[in-house]
Amino acid sequence: MSPLSVYPYQIKLAKPYRWAKGVQTHRVGFVVRIEAEGAIGLGEAAMLPNVIHDPVKFAQQCELLCDGLDPLDANFLKRLDERECPPAIRCGVSSAWFSHAAAKKGLRLCDLLAGQTGVSDTVPVNALITEQTPQQCVDAAKYQVGRGISTVKLKCGKDLEADRERIVAIRDTFPDLKIRIDPNQSWDVAWAAEHLRSLQPFQIQYCEEPLPSGTSLDEYRRLREYAGVAIALDESIIDLKSAELAIEKQAADYFVLKLQRLGGLDRLLDVARFAKSRQVDSILTSNMEANVGLAVGLHCAAVVQTPGLDSGLATSDFFADGLDPSLVVVNGCMHVPPGVGTGVPFHKS
């Protein structure tokens, strides 16, 4: 019997997740568990919230890709890569593999990744605001500020005036709050630069991947030069090669990195460390994962975070039940679970 097991899940969200690509009310994915030699490793796979798929079939795809491979073999991930494993599945499997290796050594996952103990267990985080009206946004920001949050990320769309009203309302109420905006590739190239330029007075920390999928990196460079607002690339950064090209083209001030898109924590760390060597900072963000994925994200963020740049992991408010109590926001921060491996339990159900 293989030490690797896969468990699909479907979770109803506590509140709708609204963004440029729709409104989601459920989250689906699967958890990977490796148990052997007295240690347990956990990982999670979850595609983008708008991707409709059957979690059982998704989990079965993982099982087929891992069939015949020994997860205790030092070359396990190399063999899995030879099978052209999709990024989200590789993320779940590799997270379980690395967290099992950490647990076997009696280490937290972040300590294994950093190559040392004593990595910070505190991760400052931004809060996500997806509410529709200006007053709802102000109320949401007020709640977040009340629990110590100093940075919010506002989901935007094609209704420019509505988004401007929401930004103005937040800025007027909270003059010192750091505001990030994320149109999720929904802005037209023809007017994006002028719109972004008009938002300069509101001190936007950065605008995340505003232009449609397939937009050239040269276009992003021109947007940076003209708009006067920092640009972060998210969807465009899918591997080390794309990160190298973005830096070569001077297309971004920041990278927003997701474990699920990059295919796992080892690949994310490679991108973040390369970017840092080229003076581009990275912000690790959630892909709306549940317990296990959030915990892995916290371990990674503890290793790669830059002081003053809050990570985008405070998505626990969207989950009604079953969230591990260690994954809440306290005084503007989340804390890396203290136990070995991921530090969070997983209950098979």
Side-chain angles (χ1 to χ4, degrees), residues 295 298 323-330 333-338 342-345:
L298 283 166
L323 191 79
D324 191 273
S326 69
L327 300 176
V328 298
V329 176
V330 179
C333 297
M334 294 176 74
H335 296 271
V336 177
T342 62
V344 294

Side-chain angles (χ1 to χ4, degrees), residues 80-279:
L80 185 65
D81 290 342
E82 290 170 353
R83 298 183 176 190
E84 299 183 355
C85 184
I89 293 178
R90 188 189 187 278
C91 176
V93 175
S94 62
S95 297
W97 192 82
F98 279 106
S99 62
H100 178 265
K104 195 164 62 171
K105 295 181 178 181
L107 296 173
R108 300 181 303 169
L109 177 58
C110 60
D111 295 324
L112 178 79
L113 299 177
Q116 60 185 16
T117 56
V119 176
S120 173
D121 64 351
T122 301
V123 178
V125 291
N126 74 220
L128 194 60
I129 294 182
T130 68
E131 281 72 12
Q132 291 180 296
T133 71
Q135 187 57 53
Q136 287 172 336
C137 289
V138 168
D139 291 343
K142 197 170 293 184
Y143 166 72
Q144 300 296 350
V145 169
R147 59 179 186 164
I149 291 287
S150 61
T151 306
V152 297
K153 182 164 79 170
L154 181 67
K155 288 292 187 178
C156 296
K158 293 183 178 180
D159 189 336
L160 308 188
E161 189 53 39
D163 284 340
R164 185 182 180 87
E165 289 174 358
R166 294 158 76 224
I167 292 168
V168 169
I170 294 172
R171 176 55 72 221
D172 284 350
T173 309
F174 302 100
D176 299 323
L177 189 65
K178 293 189 282 288
I179 300 175
R180 301 167 174 174
I181 57 176
D182 184 7
N184 285 110
Q185 301 179 313
S186 65
W187 288 1
D188 192 292
V189 175
W191 49 255
E194 289 296 343
H195 179 52
L196 200 53
R197 195 177 179 95
S198 76
L199 297 178
Q200 279 186 21
F202 306 109
Q203 300 171 307
I204 305 301
Q205 187 179 60
Y206 63 70
C207 178
E208 184 175 329
E209 193 94 15
L211 304 178
S213 176
T215 299
S216 73
L217 294 174
D218 291 323
E219 194 68 56
Y220 270 110
R221 185 188 68 250
R222 287 190 286 269
L223 180 64
R224 285 183 66 219
E225 292 170 350
Y226 179 78
V229 174
I231 297 296
L233 290 182
D234 177 3
E235 290 92 343
S236 292
I237 307 304
I238 60 173
D239 54 21
L240 183 58
K241 184 177 180 180
S242 61
E244 292 170 345
L245 186 59
I247 290 173
E248 178 187 330
K249 294 285 188 176
Q250 300 179 18
D253 298 278
Y254 304 103
F255 288 161
V256 174
L257 304 181
K258 288 184 171 64
L259 285 160
Q260 304 290 337
R261 177 175 293 119
L262 287 162
L265 44 86
D266 51 337
R267 292 180 177 179
L268 184 145
L269 292 175
D270 285 346
V271 171
R273 286 165 175 159
F274 168 77
K276 189 73 172 178
S277 74
R278 299 299 190 273
Q279 290 74 55

